[in-house]
Short mmCIF file of all heavy atoms in Angstrom, two decimals:
data_model
loop_
_atom_site.label_atom_id
_atom_site.label_comp_id
_atom_site.label_asym_id
_atom_site.label_seq_id
_atom_site.Cartn_x
_atom_site.Cartn_y
_atom_site.Cartn_z
N SER A 1 127.13 -203.60 -265.55
CA SER A 1 126.54 -204.52 -264.58
C SER A 1 126.31 -203.83 -263.24
O SER A 1 125.26 -203.99 -262.61
CB SER A 1 127.45 -205.74 -264.41
OG SER A 1 126.92 -206.61 -263.45
N GLU A 2 127.29 -203.07 -262.79
CA GLU A 2 127.15 -202.34 -261.53
C GLU A 2 126.02 -201.32 -261.59
O GLU A 2 125.24 -201.19 -260.65
CB GLU A 2 128.46 -201.65 -261.15
CG GLU A 2 129.53 -202.59 -260.67
CD GLU A 2 130.79 -201.86 -260.28
OE1 GLU A 2 131.11 -200.79 -260.88
OE2 GLU A 2 131.48 -202.35 -259.37
N LEU A 3 125.93 -200.60 -262.70
CA LEU A 3 124.87 -199.60 -262.87
C LEU A 3 123.51 -200.27 -262.88
O LEU A 3 122.56 -199.81 -262.23
CB LEU A 3 125.08 -198.80 -264.14
CG LEU A 3 124.01 -197.74 -264.45
CD1 LEU A 3 123.90 -196.72 -263.32
CD2 LEU A 3 124.31 -197.07 -265.77
N MET A 4 123.40 -201.39 -263.58
CA MET A 4 122.14 -202.13 -263.62
C MET A 4 121.74 -202.60 -262.22
O MET A 4 120.57 -202.58 -261.86
CB MET A 4 122.25 -203.31 -264.57
CG MET A 4 122.50 -202.92 -266.01
SD MET A 4 121.09 -202.14 -266.79
CE MET A 4 120.08 -203.57 -267.05
N GLN A 5 122.72 -203.02 -261.41
CA GLN A 5 122.44 -203.47 -260.04
C GLN A 5 121.93 -202.31 -259.19
O GLN A 5 120.99 -202.47 -258.41
CB GLN A 5 123.68 -204.09 -259.41
CG GLN A 5 123.41 -204.70 -258.06
CD GLN A 5 122.41 -205.84 -258.13
OE1 GLN A 5 122.59 -206.77 -258.90
NE2 GLN A 5 121.36 -205.78 -257.34
N VAL A 6 122.53 -201.15 -259.34
CA VAL A 6 122.09 -199.97 -258.58
C VAL A 6 120.65 -199.61 -258.95
O VAL A 6 119.82 -199.34 -258.08
CB VAL A 6 123.03 -198.77 -258.82
CG1 VAL A 6 122.44 -197.48 -258.28
CG2 VAL A 6 124.40 -199.04 -258.20
N ILE A 7 120.34 -199.64 -260.23
CA ILE A 7 118.98 -199.33 -260.68
C ILE A 7 118.01 -200.38 -260.17
O ILE A 7 116.92 -200.05 -259.67
CB ILE A 7 118.93 -199.20 -262.22
CG1 ILE A 7 119.72 -197.96 -262.65
CG2 ILE A 7 117.48 -199.14 -262.71
CD1 ILE A 7 119.95 -197.85 -264.14
N SER A 8 118.40 -201.65 -260.24
CA SER A 8 117.56 -202.73 -259.74
C SER A 8 117.31 -202.58 -258.24
O SER A 8 116.18 -202.74 -257.77
CB SER A 8 118.23 -204.07 -260.03
OG SER A 8 117.48 -205.13 -259.52
N ASP A 9 118.36 -202.26 -257.48
CA ASP A 9 118.22 -202.06 -256.04
C ASP A 9 117.27 -200.91 -255.73
O ASP A 9 116.47 -200.99 -254.79
CB ASP A 9 119.58 -201.79 -255.39
CG ASP A 9 120.50 -203.00 -255.39
OD1 ASP A 9 120.02 -204.13 -255.65
OD2 ASP A 9 121.71 -202.80 -255.14
N TYR A 10 117.34 -199.85 -256.51
CA TYR A 10 116.46 -198.70 -256.32
C TYR A 10 114.99 -199.12 -256.46
O TYR A 10 114.16 -198.80 -255.61
CB TYR A 10 116.79 -197.59 -257.32
CG TYR A 10 115.76 -196.49 -257.33
CD1 TYR A 10 115.78 -195.50 -256.34
CD2 TYR A 10 114.75 -196.45 -258.29
CE1 TYR A 10 114.81 -194.50 -256.33
CE2 TYR A 10 113.79 -195.46 -258.27
CZ TYR A 10 113.83 -194.49 -257.29
OH TYR A 10 112.87 -193.51 -257.27
N PHE A 11 114.67 -199.84 -257.53
CA PHE A 11 113.28 -200.23 -257.75
C PHE A 11 112.81 -201.27 -256.73
O PHE A 11 111.64 -201.28 -256.33
CB PHE A 11 113.06 -200.69 -259.19
CG PHE A 11 113.00 -199.54 -260.15
CD1 PHE A 11 114.03 -199.32 -261.05
CD2 PHE A 11 111.93 -198.66 -260.13
CE1 PHE A 11 113.99 -198.24 -261.94
CE2 PHE A 11 111.87 -197.58 -261.01
CZ PHE A 11 112.90 -197.36 -261.91
N ALA A 12 113.72 -202.13 -256.28
CA ALA A 12 113.36 -203.09 -255.23
C ALA A 12 113.03 -202.35 -253.94
O ALA A 12 112.07 -202.69 -253.24
CB ALA A 12 114.51 -204.07 -255.01
N LYS A 13 113.80 -201.32 -253.62
CA LYS A 13 113.54 -200.51 -252.42
C LYS A 13 112.19 -199.81 -252.54
O LYS A 13 111.42 -199.75 -251.57
CB LYS A 13 114.66 -199.49 -252.23
CG LYS A 13 114.49 -198.61 -251.01
CD LYS A 13 115.68 -197.66 -250.86
CE LYS A 13 115.52 -196.77 -249.65
NZ LYS A 13 114.95 -195.47 -249.97
N GLN A 14 111.89 -199.28 -253.71
CA GLN A 14 110.60 -198.62 -253.92
C GLN A 14 109.45 -199.60 -253.73
O GLN A 14 108.43 -199.27 -253.11
CB GLN A 14 110.53 -198.01 -255.33
CG GLN A 14 111.52 -196.90 -255.58
CD GLN A 14 111.30 -195.72 -254.67
OE1 GLN A 14 110.22 -195.18 -254.60
NE2 GLN A 14 112.34 -195.33 -253.94
N ALA A 15 109.61 -200.83 -254.23
CA ALA A 15 108.57 -201.84 -254.07
C ALA A 15 108.40 -202.22 -252.60
O ALA A 15 107.27 -202.34 -252.12
CB ALA A 15 108.91 -203.09 -254.90
N ASP A 16 109.51 -202.38 -251.88
CA ASP A 16 109.44 -202.69 -250.45
C ASP A 16 108.70 -201.60 -249.68
O ASP A 16 107.87 -201.89 -248.82
CB ASP A 16 110.83 -202.87 -249.86
CG ASP A 16 111.48 -204.19 -250.20
OD1 ASP A 16 110.75 -205.12 -250.62
OD2 ASP A 16 112.71 -204.30 -250.03
N GLU A 17 109.00 -200.35 -250.00
CA GLU A 17 108.36 -199.24 -249.31
C GLU A 17 106.85 -199.21 -249.61
O GLU A 17 106.05 -198.94 -248.72
CB GLU A 17 109.00 -197.91 -249.71
CG GLU A 17 110.39 -197.74 -249.13
CD GLU A 17 111.11 -196.50 -249.63
OE1 GLU A 17 110.53 -195.74 -250.45
OE2 GLU A 17 112.27 -196.30 -249.22
N GLU A 18 106.46 -199.52 -250.82
CA GLU A 18 105.05 -199.55 -251.17
C GLU A 18 104.32 -200.70 -250.47
O GLU A 18 103.21 -200.53 -249.98
CB GLU A 18 104.86 -199.64 -252.68
CG GLU A 18 103.42 -199.65 -253.14
CD GLU A 18 102.65 -198.36 -252.82
OE1 GLU A 18 103.27 -197.35 -252.43
OE2 GLU A 18 101.41 -198.39 -252.94
N ILE A 19 104.97 -201.85 -250.40
CA ILE A 19 104.38 -202.98 -249.69
C ILE A 19 104.21 -202.64 -248.21
O ILE A 19 103.16 -202.92 -247.61
CB ILE A 19 105.23 -204.26 -249.87
CG1 ILE A 19 105.09 -204.75 -251.31
CG2 ILE A 19 104.84 -205.34 -248.87
CD1 ILE A 19 106.05 -205.85 -251.68
N ASP A 20 105.22 -202.00 -247.61
CA ASP A 20 105.11 -201.57 -246.21
C ASP A 20 103.95 -200.60 -246.03
O ASP A 20 103.20 -200.69 -245.06
CB ASP A 20 106.41 -200.92 -245.74
CG ASP A 20 107.55 -201.91 -245.57
OD1 ASP A 20 107.28 -203.13 -245.54
OD2 ASP A 20 108.71 -201.45 -245.48
N ARG A 21 103.78 -199.67 -246.97
CA ARG A 21 102.69 -198.69 -246.87
C ARG A 21 101.33 -199.39 -246.96
O ARG A 21 100.42 -199.10 -246.19
CB ARG A 21 102.80 -197.64 -247.98
CG ARG A 21 101.75 -196.52 -247.86
CD ARG A 21 101.70 -195.66 -249.10
NE ARG A 21 101.20 -196.37 -250.26
CZ ARG A 21 99.91 -196.66 -250.47
NH1 ARG A 21 98.99 -196.35 -249.60
NH2 ARG A 21 99.56 -197.29 -251.58
N LEU A 22 101.20 -200.34 -247.89
CA LEU A 22 99.95 -201.08 -248.04
C LEU A 22 99.64 -201.87 -246.77
O LEU A 22 98.49 -201.96 -246.35
CB LEU A 22 100.03 -202.02 -249.24
CG LEU A 22 100.06 -201.35 -250.62
CD1 LEU A 22 100.36 -202.38 -251.70
CD2 LEU A 22 98.78 -200.61 -250.91
N TRP A 23 100.68 -202.43 -246.15
CA TRP A 23 100.50 -203.20 -244.93
C TRP A 23 100.05 -202.27 -243.79
O TRP A 23 99.11 -202.58 -243.06
CB TRP A 23 101.80 -203.91 -244.56
CG TRP A 23 101.59 -205.03 -243.58
CD1 TRP A 23 101.56 -204.92 -242.23
CD2 TRP A 23 101.37 -206.40 -243.88
NE1 TRP A 23 101.34 -206.15 -241.67
CE2 TRP A 23 101.23 -207.09 -242.65
CE3 TRP A 23 101.30 -207.13 -245.06
CZ2 TRP A 23 101.00 -208.45 -242.58
CZ3 TRP A 23 101.08 -208.49 -244.98
CH2 TRP A 23 100.94 -209.13 -243.75
N GLU A 24 100.72 -201.13 -243.66
CA GLU A 24 100.39 -200.17 -242.60
C GLU A 24 98.98 -199.61 -242.78
O GLU A 24 98.29 -199.34 -241.79
CB GLU A 24 101.41 -199.04 -242.58
CG GLU A 24 102.77 -199.47 -242.06
CD GLU A 24 103.84 -198.42 -242.26
OE1 GLU A 24 103.52 -197.29 -242.68
OE2 GLU A 24 105.02 -198.74 -242.00
N ASP A 25 98.55 -199.42 -244.02
CA ASP A 25 97.22 -198.89 -244.29
C ASP A 25 96.13 -199.95 -244.21
O ASP A 25 94.95 -199.65 -244.36
CB ASP A 25 97.17 -198.23 -245.68
CG ASP A 25 98.00 -196.96 -245.75
OD1 ASP A 25 98.42 -196.45 -244.69
OD2 ASP A 25 98.23 -196.47 -246.88
#
């Protein structure tokens, strides 16, 4: 469960960064 949460958090962070990039562009 902890490992799955870490992986989930990683992909959520990647999505947030991409949304920020799209907004900035």
Side-chain angles (χ1 to χ4, degrees):
S1 178
E2 287 182 328
L3 179 59
M4 297 290 285
Q5 186 62 54
V6 169
I7 292 170
S8 178
D9 291 346
Y10 170 80
F11 284 109
K13 181 178 179 265
Q14 296 298 306
D16 283 343
E17 289 174 0
E18 181 63 12
I19 289 170
D20 289 345
R21 185 192 67 76
L22 292 171
W23 198 274
E24 289 170 8
D25 292 348

